[in-house]
Each structure stands twice: as C-alpha cells, then as structure tokens.
Amino acid sequence: MAERPPLTRAHVLNVVLTYAAVASLWILLSDKAVEWLFSTPAQFALASTIKGWLFIVITATLLYAMLRRRIDQPTVSSTPSRRQLLPFVLFNGLIIALTAMAIAQNINLTQDKEATRLETIADLKGKRITEWLNSREFDAHILLENPLYGALYREAQTSHAGQADLMARLDEFLSIRRFSAATVLAPGGEVLWQTQGASGLNSALRNALASVSTGRITRVGPYLDEQGHARLDFIAPLPVTDGKPPLIVLQISSSDPLNSILKTWPVPDSSGEALLFRRNGEQIQFINDVRYRPDSALSLQLPASSKELLAAQYLRHDHDAQDKAIFFGRDYRNVPVFGTARPVLGTDWYLLAKIDEAELNRAVLKESIWIGLIGLLALFITNAGIVLLRQHTRLQMAEQVRQSQAGRLQALQLLSAIADSSEDAIFAKDLEGKYILFNRAASQFVGKSASEMLGQDDTAIFPPDQARMLMEIGRQVIASNRVQTQEEFLTLPGGERVFLATKGPLQGSDGEVIGIFGISRDITDFKRAEAGLREREGLFRALVEQSLAGIYIIQQGQLCYINPGFARLFGYGSTAALLKIGSLPALASAKDSARVAEQLQRCEQEDSEIHTRFTALHHDHQNIEMELYGRRVDYRGQPAVLGLLLDITEREQVEQALTRQASELRQQNNELERFNKVMVDRELAMLALKHKINELSLQLGEQPPYPQAPTPPEESL
C-alpha cells in the first residue's frame, strides 16, 4: 500500500489560497454580470439570491474536490485526474460564460446607442426641414400681408414706371429672402411679369392655381420643371380690396437648401446619411440629392413594393405605433443599412436617417474584441494561478517523497523540479539528436509525455521539413560550440506557433561536447499583439492623413507636424512646402499674427487651451478665415500644442451678409420714421395758417374762408 503523505501547512495554504481566488473572482465578475443583465430591483434581488446559492455550491464542491484529492492521492501523478481538472473546468466555464454574456450585452448596447443616435438625428433634421419650410412660408406671408405690394401692382397696371418699381421691389425681396425668382400672375392666372431666371407655368403649378384661396400661402412641389431641375414654389395672393386677387409665385429652383440641411452628419468618417422621400403612386421618390448619386433629386424613384428597401418598410408600418421603430434593410444602393424614419410635419415627406450595417458591425466587433481580450486575460491569469498552485503542491509532495525515498539522486530531482516548473520548453539532446531531457512545458506543446519522447528525435513530433531544419541547427551549434538564439516557426497539435529558441552546446565533466541543450519560449501571442499594434497604428495614421480638417503639432513656436488637410487649407500641394514656412503665425495676416503667436505660446507654457479665430493668407494671396483649436500635450518629452484648424471663410461671409442686411433694414426704417415726422409737422403748420386767416377775416368783418378749421396745439407751433 502506498504511503500517504501527512497533511502539511503548505497543503492547507494551497486550499485557502484557491478558495480566496475563487471567491474574489466570483464577487468581481458575478456582480458585474448581474448589473449588465438585470435592471429592475426585483430582478436584481432574485439574481443576487441565486448568485449566492451558486457561490455556496461551487465553493463547497471545490473544497470537497481538493480535500478528497489529498486523501485519495498519496503520490505525485504526472497526468492530471478528473478531480485535478475540476478547478480548471469550473473557472474556465465561468469566465467563458461571463465573457459571452458581456459580448451579447455589448451588442445590444451598441445597437441601442446607434439607434438612439439615429433617432436624435432624424428628429433634429426633421425639425430643421419644418423650420425651413415655415420660414419660407413666413417670407411669402410678407407679400400677402403688406398692402404696399397691392398698391405697386395697381400702379404697374397703369404705367411702365409702376411696373419697374414693382419688379425692383420683388428683386430686392428675392435677394433678402433667398428665393430664386418670382412671377406675377393676373387674377385669371395669365403671366404678367417675371423676374430674371423665372421659369414658365407647368402643369403642376397650373393645377395648384385653382385651389389658391385669399389670405393663404399655397406650397407647390417639389417637382421637376421643363429643364429637369428640382423646383419648389410658394403662391401668395396680393391683398386687394375688390375682386379676385392677383398672385405672386415665389420660386426656389434647386434642392441645394434641403441638401445643405441633410448632408451634414455629426459623426466624422461615418456612412450615415439623411434622406427626404415621399410616396409617388407605386414608387418611392427621393426629394433631395442622395449622397452616392449626385443630381438625383426627384429623379431617383424605387418601387414601394420592395420588401427590403428601408423607406418602403417604414411606409408599410403603422406610423403612430412605430414612430420610434428601427429598421434593417437595404438602401437605394442595395447595400444593407440600419435606420429610422420620421414624417415631416405639414408635408407628405418623410425623413430617413440611416447608416450602413457594416459600420454598426465594426463598432460591435471593436468592443467585442476588447471584451474577448479581457476574457482571455482573465482565463490566462486564472489558469496560471491554478497551475502555479498545483505546481507548488506538486513540489511540496515531491519534496516529501524525496525525503521518504532517500535513495533517489538529489541532483536529478532538483533538475526535474526546476525544468517542470518553467513555462518554457526545456530539453536536451545527445550528439545523434535524440532527446535525453524533456520537461513538462515541452510535453504540453507537442502533446506527448516526456517518457514517450526520451530516445526519440525531431522526426517523431514535427513535419519532415521542420525536423530537418531543427536537426541542422543542432549540428551547427555543436560544430560552432556556441550559443545561438533565433525564432522558429513550428507546427504543433494546437496549430502554428512561434518560439524564441536559445540553443547551446551541452558539455560533460571533462569539457567535451556531449549534445545540446535548448530553451524555447512561446512568443506567438506577443507576435500577434505586435502585428495588431502595427495595424492599429497604420489605421490611426490613415485617419489623420485623410482628415479634411487641418491637424498640427507646434513645439517652441515651430510646426513639427501637419497633415495633408492642413496643407490643403492654405492651397499647398504638399506638407513639406508648408513646413518650410516654420510657424503658424507666419501664415496669419499682419493684424492677427502677433495675437496668434501669443496665444500659442501661452497654451504651450501654461497648460491652457486655445480657441480663436484669425485671418490667414492663402497660397494664392487671398484672405481666408480660420478657426483654431489647441491644447498642450507632451511630444517627445517636451511640451507642445496639438490641435485642429478649420476653414470658416464661408461661414464668416454668411454672417457678414446677414449683419449687412440687418443694418440696411434698420436704415430704411429710420428713413420712414423721419418722413412720417416731416409730413405730420407740415399738416400742423397748414392748420395753424388756416386758423390765422380765419381770425384776420373776422377782424375785417368778413366771412372766414376756412369753415370749421381746428385750432392747432400751441406746442406744435
């Protein structure tokens, strides 16, 4: 009967540490899993109770298995038993299950986040479209409510000067209100006068004239005119006192205003797109120019019966019940997409916000990879801890066996224990290339025990070409009598692996070479991580290089790095040509150069942020307006400024135009007020004169020529 080793402190410590590791991992991971999977207090309470029961069952089973193994296994076994594998199975199963749940939860959270973003974008752009339409109708109401245009129309019917005055007023109105052209129609619908660029009356507009009512603005379109251009009209009846009113048709002759609202997307480098569409009989008609098909407004139509078309799916659902619904389908490119739609208030239009499913999948995959890597790390740490504890136990038991069997060779036991405790493959070969030492890690790599490998060469475990390569390296080490280190790509039962192998001559007691020794470390994961890091670095560099915004790094006042987008903002074909200028203030205008230099210096020295606007000089000597963002960073061990540069020239021009228009309107209002005051003063003076004449007539005994002339206030005189 085999002798059973006594229970030692080491074994008790092994049991306690294993229990502590299991309890710690359970508390950490199970609480997170419960937070991810359950949201209501009742579900959380039930899950916590079940989690406590599972903890008792798992820890009790683990303690039983470890103590039973101690009782039933008096000697060291090289092959793990089922009881020894139980901690591995429990921990690995738990971590894999929690990782899978985390990935599933991440998929749902990512999809919900993208859905919320699309719903927000759809609501925002729908409101902007409605506001734009209301603004255009409000502009048309100015014609309807202002009696000046009715008076101008009556004058235009009697004289060419009146006609010229009316058209001049309309041209000014179109310029301020951003309409393309205007047409003046007689009450019967005949064209009287048109501004420059106005189109004729097509069937859509003529049909709409029959439904025009006094005091209301009628919107017609959008539709395609005779030239095939998108057109949207607003019909405004002029205010008249009698008869059927004349009409003014205000025309918007392109889809650019709608495109400018829809084309912007809050997430850069996204496949997201916002579309306007409506049902046109059995077709779905797209109102704006879609992103991937220029000049497609109103000409792009797809069948409403399509089962996969995203817009058709929305029209087939109950809009009230499904107003916040998210749909998976295909777009006009027949590309799988993910999106939502909203009706545009006051129209028969619908607004669709969508992104490609590939973009959604990339976001899910990116987060899932990180969760998977964390799970793998947890698996590695857990298994490494169990292996180390098991190795510690085996070493303790081996020491006890060594003490009970004093006849064994001490040096051989020590060498075997050291070799087996290593995670690297340790081996030795004789001069013929046959193995005389094969540690546990090497056995795990090749899937064979040390007893099977002793006396065998490399042909027993590797493909012929790899075996010949390894044996040739062994002969080179023996011939050169020096240590060599190289990477080896080997085929193992677990797949292709990469090892960093160090091999050297094995010498006997007399210094003669009797074989070789080797230590091989598995660096497969390191090589993969290194390749992944290079790939991510290349992706980040590609994003920076292709960005439309200017990205820069400034250190000690000098430009250290700029992306191609920065060079394009100033009209340069390459970054090298622009870097020769040296500094960003040198690109600014004379009035802004010193201010920009001062703010950049303060940002770099005081760890503050910079956000300013300045006028810069384009390569073609034109002024451009720039918006500068920056913050202090550490660049190569020294403080620097990293930031963005945006071209806001067009935005500044729009703001200046709006300011100029507001100033002109205020000036016109002041002129009208001054004119009214002059007319009132003149009338008061006439009343005073009539009163004086009446008084003189009475003094002369004559009848006053101005009967009932009121007495003007003395304050006015």
Side-chain angles (χ1 to χ4, degrees):
M1 182 176 178
E3 181 182 358
R4 179 179 300 161
L7 188 65
T8 62
R9 289 184 178 179
H11 185 75
V12 174
L13 181 61
N14 185 18
V15 174
V16 172
L17 291 178
T18 302
Y19 178 84
V22 173
S24 300
L25 286 174
W26 178 270
I27 293 172
L28 176 63
L29 299 177
S30 64
D31 287 347
K32 277 295 181 187
V34 170
E35 290 178 5
W36 285 341
L37 296 176
F38 304 101
S39 56
T40 64
Q43 292 176 341
F44 189 84
L46 179 61
S48 299
T49 302
I50 297 175
K51 180 171 67 74
W53 292 342
L54 288 175
F55 176 75
I56 294 173
V57 172
I58 291 174
T59 53
T61 304
L62 180 63
L63 289 173
Y64 173 79
M66 296 184 68
L67 294 174
R68 181 67 180 271
R69 185 185 65 179
R70 173 63 185 167
I71 296 173
D72 295 344
Q73 188 175 343
T75 59
V76 177
S77 174
S78 60
T79 304
S81 65
R82 292 184 178 179
R83 296 190 186 94
Q84 292 173 327
L85 292 176
L86 182 61
F88 287 88
V89 174
L90 290 175
F91 287 130
N92 291 345
L94 177 62
I95 294 175
I96 291 173
L98 292 176
T99 302
M101 288 189 294
I103 291 175
Q105 183 70 10
N106 171 67
I107 293 174
N108 293 332
L109 289 176
T110 302
Q111 182 173 323
D112 292 342
K113 181 178 70 175
E114 292 297 334
T116 302
R117 178 182 297 168
L118 287 175
E119 290 172 355
T120 303
I121 292 173
D123 291 336
L124 177 62
K125 292 190 178 295
K127 290 179 181 178
R128 291 189 61 189
I129 294 294
T130 302
E131 290 171 358
W132 181 80
L133 289 174
N134 292 338
S135 178
R136 300 287 75 76
E137 290 190 7
F138 175 81
D139 294 339
H141 266 285
I142 295 176
L143 297 179
L144 186 148
E145 297 173 355
N146 193 341
L148 174 63
Y149 290 93
L152 291 174
Y153 172 79
R154 288 189 293 272
E155 293 179 8
Q157 288 182 309
T158 60
S159 66
H160 290 289
Q163 178 183 341
D165 192 13
L166 173 61
M167 300 311 293
R169 288 282 186 174
L170 285 178
D171 285 335
E172 182 182 3
F173 179 85
L174 296 177
S175 175
I176 295 175
R177 301 299 174 178
R178 291 175 292 181
F179 286 96
S180 302
T183 300
V184 180
L185 304 178
E190 298 82 11
V191 176
L192 297 178
W193 308 290
Q194 290 182 314
T195 62
Q196 184 177 2
S199 301
L201 302 184
N202 61 1
S203 58
L205 186 55
R206 290 187 182 278
N207 293 335
L209 293 177
S211 60
V212 174
S213 59
T214 303
R216 287 188 56 191
I217 300 299
T218 302
R219 185 176 67 245
V220 184
Y223 59 91
L224 294 175
D225 60 15
E226 294 82 359
Q227 289 77 30
H229 299 149
R231 175 171 168 179
L232 180 64
D233 296 336
F234 295 85
I235 304 175
L238 289 178
V240 294
T241 57
D242 55 348
K244 190 174 181 180
L247 307 174
I248 294 183
V249 179
L250 299 175
Q251 174 184 331
I252 298 176
S253 298
S254 72
S255 59
D256 291 343
L258 295 177
N259 293 337
S260 64
I261 295 175
L262 298 174
K263 70 180 180 180
T264 57
W265 199 258
V267 181
D269 299 323
S270 171
S271 64
E273 184 180 7
L275 306 170
L276 278 176
F277 68 94
R278 65 183 176 187
R279 192 180 191 106
N280 186 14
E282 296 300 320
Q283 299 288 319
I284 290 179
Q285 184 181 46
F286 292 89
I287 298 174
N288 64 304
D289 293 327
V290 297
R291 178 177 181 178
Y292 300 99
R293 294 188 185 178
D295 300 325
S296 60
L298 299 175
S299 61
L300 177 59
Q301 298 192 71
L302 297 174
S305 59
S306 173
K307 294 183 179 179
E308 294 185 341
L309 186 65
L310 206 65
Q313 291 186 37
Y314 176 77
L315 292 180
R316 285 195 295 270
H317 281 73
D318 181 6
H319 297 164
D320 293 333
Q322 300 288 339
D323 192 40
K324 296 293 184 181
I326 294 295
F327 300 91
F328 287 86
R330 294 181 178 271
D331 64 357
Y332 56 89
R333 302 168 294 161
N334 201 29
V335 172
V337 292
F338 163 86
T340 186
R342 298 284 185 276
V344 179
L345 296 178
T347 69
D348 61 345
W349 307 352
Y350 300 92
L351 190 141
L352 173 66
K354 65 174 182 67
I355 61 172
D356 291 351
E357 276 192 42
E359 181 179 350
L360 176 64
N361 294 336
R362 284 194 299 271
V364 170
L365 180 61
K366 180 180 179 181
E367 297 296 331
S368 298
I369 288 175
W370 281 109
I371 295 174
L373 290 176
I374 294 173
L376 289 177
L377 179 61
L379 281 174
F380 174 78
I381 294 174
T382 302
N383 291 332
I386 295 176
V387 168
L388 290 176
L389 288 174
R390 184 171 178 271
Q391 288 176 350
H392 181 74
T393 302
R394 292 183 63 186
L395 288 174
Q396 292 293 332
M397 296 177 68
E399 179 65 18
Q400 294 172 6
V401 172
R402 187 190 63 80
Q403 293 176 359
S404 63
Q405 299 175 353
R408 295 187 178 184
L409 296 176
Q410 182 177 2
L412 183 60
Q413 290 179 347
L414 180 60
L415 178 61
S416 177
I418 293 174
D420 284 343
S421 65
S422 175
E423 294 298 323
D424 298 333
I426 301 176
F427 56 88
K429 300 179 182 179
D430 59 16
L431 293 176
E432 296 179 0
K434 296 181 179 180
Y435 287 100
I436 57 176
L437 175 65
F438 208 77
N439 77 330
R440 178 189 56 80
S443 298
Q444 291 179 345
F445 286 137
V446 302
K448 294 185 178 182
S449 64
S451 59
E452 293 177 289
M453 289 305 304
L454 294 179
Q456 301 289 333
D457 58 14
D458 293 316
T459 58
I461 52 178
F462 299 110
D465 55 339
Q466 296 181 5
R468 287 192 297 270
M469 179 267 294
L470 293 174
M471 296 176 72
E472 178 61 25
I473 293 174
R475 288 191 287 269
Q476 293 176 4
V477 170
I478 293 174
S480 62
N481 194 21
R482 62 186 180 85
V483 176
Q484 295 184 6
T485 300
Q486 65 276 324
E487 292 183 359
E488 297 175 349
F489 296 82
L490 303 177
T491 303
L492 299 177
E496 299 291 334
R497 310 297 291 180
V498 183
F499 291 88
L500 183 63
T502 300
K503 298 178 181 178
L506 186 64
Q507 298 176 345
S509 57
D510 55 354
E512 183 181 359
V513 176
I514 60 175
I516 65 170
F517 71 90
I519 302 174
S520 294
R521 172 164 294 180
D522 186 358
I523 60 171
T524 306
D525 294 337
F526 173 79
K527 299 292 286 186
R528 291 174 180 170
E530 185 181 39
L533 180 61
R534 287 197 299 269
E535 180 181 0
R536 289 192 295 273
E537 182 181 3
L539 178 60
F540 176 77
R541 181 175 295 276
L543 290 174
V544 172
E545 296 293 328
Q546 297 175 14
S547 174
L548 297 179
I551 301 176
Y552 66 89
I553 298 178
I554 295 177
Q555 193 171 58
Q556 296 181 354
Q558 299 297 310
L559 289 168
C560 300
Y561 169 80
I562 59 173
N563 70 332
F566 189 101
R568 287 193 295 270
L569 290 178
F570 292 93
Y572 287 84
S574 66
T575 58
L578 192 55
L579 284 173
K580 292 180 181 179
I581 297 178
S583 67
L584 181 57
L587 298 170
S589 63
K591 65 182 181 64
D592 293 331
S593 178
R595 177 174 58 83
V596 173
E598 178 185 359
Q599 293 188 10
L600 287 172
Q601 182 180 10
R602 183 166 63 251
C603 179
E604 182 177 353
Q605 294 178 353
E606 301 177 3
D607 194 17
S608 61
E609 295 186 357
I610 179 174
H611 177 202
T612 186
R613 295 183 179 183
F614 67 95
T615 302
L617 299 177
H618 197 268
H619 187 52
D620 60 2
H621 306 294
Q622 297 293 325
N623 286 340
I624 53 176
E625 298 300 321
M626 292 293 181
E627 190 166 15
L628 179 67
Y629 298 85
R631 63 178 304 171
R632 178 178 172 178
V633 297
D634 183 80
Y635 180 67
R636 296 179 179 176
Q638 297 293 329
V641 179
L642 169 65
L644 295 174
L645 191 65
L646 303 176
D647 186 352
I648 60 170
T649 304
E650 184 177 356
R651 189 173 74 192
E652 286 285 329
Q653 292 173 351
V654 172
E655 291 177 356
Q656 292 174 5
L658 291 175
T659 302
R660 185 167 57 255
Q661 291 175 4
S663 177
E664 292 174 357
L665 289 175
R666 286 195 299 271
Q667 183 177 358
Q668 293 176 5
N669 184 61
N670 292 335
E671 290 291 334
L672 288 175
E673 290 179 355
R674 186 168 62 255
F675 176 77
N676 289 336
K677 185 177 183 303
V678 169
M679 294 300 294
V680 170
D681 292 340
R682 178 181 176 186
E683 185 66 21
L684 292 174
M686 290 297 297
L687 290 175
L689 180 59
K690 291 178 181 180
H691 183 72
K692 289 291 186 181
I693 293 172
N694 285 345
E695 287 181 351
L696 291 174
S697 298
L698 291 174
Q699 291 175 5
L700 296 174
E702 297 179 358
Q703 185 67 23
Y706 299 104
Q708 304 297 327
T711 302
E714 292 184 0
E715 292 80 4
S716 300
L717 297 176

